Amino acid sequence: MTDIAPGTEQDERAASGPPSRPSPLHRFGPLLLGLSAIVPPLLMLREVLRYPQMHFYDYWWVLLDLTNDDGTLRPEALLGFRNEHPFVLPSLLFWLSARYGDGLNQPLGLVIIAFGVISVLLVRAMLPEGLNRWQRAGLVAATSTLVFNPHGIHNYVRSMSGASWILALMLVLAALLAMQRNHRVWAIVFGLLASISYGTSFAVWPALALIAWLRGDRRRWVAAPLAVGVVVVLSWLVLRGPQGGGGASPTDDPAQALLAGLSMLGMVWTGTEPAIALIAGVAGLAVLVAHAQQTPEQRRSAAPWWGLAVYAVGCAVMISGSRAAFGESAGLQSRYNSMTAALWIALLVIVVAWPKLPKLRTVTVAGTVLATVALGAPMAQSVRSDAPNQDLLAIAARIGHPDAFTDRFPEPDRLLPRLQALGHYPFSPEFTLGCPDGLEIGDRVSTANWRTPSQGALREPRPDGWDVVLNVETDEVQGGARMLKGWAISGIERASCVAVLDQSGTVIGGGVVDIPRSDAEAQTPGIEIGLGFEAVAPAQPGLLRVAFHFPDGWWIRPLTENPQVAS
């Protein structure tokens, strides 16, 4: 992005005589830069389509509240709260996903991506008119990068999270845009919709009031958002009732609260370090303060961006007050990326449009884009690495024994019948073990042609010296589930799927493969990562067998008839 100020290009041409034909860079550069904003949502789309179809933890609690035992809707529950947050619109999205979308995670994730794209377009519509094409294109690309930053992957691949956070961001931006364009009633309407999406959206009301004040609106339009906000908060305090499920109680340590709030504002500038995030948050606020001295006309034009900054800071204050007790990394949660993005989008627009140091503005935008994307890699990887657990949970739920997953699948005795009644994943046609030959739970197969390694070390030397190793390291009963863990290899090939069979050859369980196992890979030089597996089956009596599909066919081995019992 170049640093040409509005009007400079035309003045230079007038002074130098007849206009020359613009170079291809000046003709097409801004267009290409603007089109680069498509890349972040496309990359996030890839992440969503790769992630499991099984919904995540909070979704199940809401579904339990929303449905009767037969899976039918309890309409009054749509007006309920979740961890003290008003949750009307996310609850509606959850119900629509469960009732009409087979309860699949990925389609709802696509909806959240659409919310993110709309958020970027709303920011584009709010940009100051005086920006040149390069500046406008660069800010749109930077906005897209921040909204779809790897730090925020949680909101998209775990769609139940984005159904509140990204939806709230979109509605807040819509409210700010409406206020900027003097559609004050619509601003309040969008503010109300945001307020019933998540509690952090309460910060939109002082943001709207600030915009009205900076624009020089009449006092009643400055007071109206504040009055509505007071009514919203008082209604929330009265209606929410006794709440639970929020974990540790709020801290009374101001220093810890400051750490959580400021690190949340700067989280995109670090991978995992709260101290660096805190410094970045303080630096971002300092840059805003440095730009606070503006002319009345500049303040009027910059009003929506100061409002967006106030919204972000308000979110940080609320989060620091309620989550700081969760530890020094409380502000670095992936789901908070939307609030961090709001601050840095506002900061970038203010720095570019009303700069104190004009020569640094290109560096500021480009540096923010490159650094925050790269630094988001550890957060994204930590979320990706949890995907096998979700796939294994889906299998455990399908066989009716999610006993080992109480930390992510609550009250299975109540939840499983609802899922079956709704045809909800994993009881929908989309469920699969992923075996190349279509083997699924409930199938009965002949294993006569399946090969079995020798019963000693459970390994079979092949003519070329390669081995088949089917290593079950953990075989443990947890409640009604039998949990298996180990690694498997045939020659130099990893397993493509794993299944558990009973004595009759009926598939009663399965699992996930392609799990990194550095210890196993150290014993098999030349092998790519991903030799590990985990599987689950009912803890039923009788001889069970675990089978693996490799490119050279199925290999099978028996399990012990006396597995360990979890204490």
Side-chain angles (χ1 to χ4, degrees), residues 386-457:
D386 187 63
N389 293 320
Q390 285 298 100
D391 280 325
L392 194 61
L393 167 60
I395 297 169
R398 178 63 179 255
I399 66 175
H401 294 286
D403 307 67
F405 297 93
T406 56
D407 60 335
R408 60 180 70 208
F409 195 78
E411 302 190 27
D413 291 344
R414 295 178 57 213
L415 189 52
L416 286 174
R418 287 168 162 80
L419 301 188
Q420 291 173 324
L422 285 165
H424 187 297
Y425 189 86
F427 299 98
S428 67
E430 291 82 4
F431 175 83
T432 179
L433 292 179
C435 295
D437 58 356
L439 189 74
E440 299 292 352
I441 290 175
D443 291 349
R444 186 168 182 175
V445 296
S446 172
T447 61
N449 295 325
W450 293 12
R451 289 169 289 180
T452 303
S454 59
Q455 296 299 303

Side-chain angles (χ1 to χ4, degrees), residues 37-38 40-42 44-45 48 93 108-125 139-149 152 155-156 159 161-171 173-174 337-338 341-342 345:
I38 300 173
L42 288 179
M44 195 59 72
L45 173 64
V48 169
L93 286 174
L108 185 55
L110 300 182
V111 173
I112 308 309
I113 287 178
F115 291 162
V117 170
I118 294 171
S119 298
V120 175
L121 295 176
L122 288 168
V123 168
R124 182 179 181 275
L139 287 171
V140 171
T143 297
S144 179
T145 301
L146 287 165
V147 171
F148 293 99
N149 200 279
N155 287 318
Y156 299 97
S159 60
S161 185
S164 50
W165 296 106
I166 305 300
L167 173 62
L169 174 66
M170 180 187 73
L171 292 170
L173 289 170
N337 181 75
S338 58
I345 291 168

Side-chain angles (χ1 to χ4, degrees), residues 194-208:
S195 296
I196 60 174
S197 298
Y198 217 60
T200 50
S201 298
F202 294 167
V204 72
W205 301 111
L208 292 175

Side-chain angles (χ1 to χ4, degrees), residues 159-230:
S159 60
M160 59 87 204
S161 185
S164 50
W165 296 106
I166 305 300
L167 173 62
L169 174 66
M170 180 187 73
L171 292 170
V172 165
L173 289 170
L176 300 183
L177 176 62
M179 185 63 82
Q180 179 195 37
R181 299 192 174 182
N182 293 322
H183 303 307
R184 300 179 183 91
V185 175
W186 278 111
I188 290 175
V189 170
F190 284 123
L192 289 171
L193 291 174
S195 296
I196 60 174
S197 298
Y198 217 60
T200 50
S201 298
F202 294 167
V204 72
W205 301 111
L208 292 175
L210 177 65
I211 293 173
W213 179 69
L214 291 176
R215 286 169 52 83
D217 292 349
R218 293 182 179 180
R219 290 182 180 178
R220 66 170 179 267
W221 287 114
V222 177
L226 292 176
V228 174
V230 169

Side-chain angles (χ1 to χ4, degrees), residues 468-552:
V468 172
V469 181
L470 312 180
N471 184 19
V472 180
E473 298 168 325
T474 301
D475 185 352
E476 185 177 80
V477 173
Q478 297 186 34
R482 188 165 177 176
M483 307 299 298
L484 308 172
K485 182 178 180 180
W487 58 276
I489 186 173
S490 175
I492 62 170
E493 302 290 348
R494 297 169 292 181
S496 57
C497 82
V498 57
V500 182
L501 291 76
D502 64 11
Q503 300 175 74
S504 68
T506 301
V507 181
I508 60 171
V512 293
V513 294
D514 199 22
I515 299 175
R517 283 290 304 269
S518 57
D519 56 339
E521 289 137 19
Q523 303 177 43
T524 54
I527 306 300
E528 297 181 0
I529 63 172
L531 300 184
F533 77 89
E534 295 183 24
V536 58
Q540 63 187 48
L543 180 65
L544 300 185
R545 297 169 291 168
V546 60
F548 302 86
H549 190 277
F550 296 98
D552 61 350

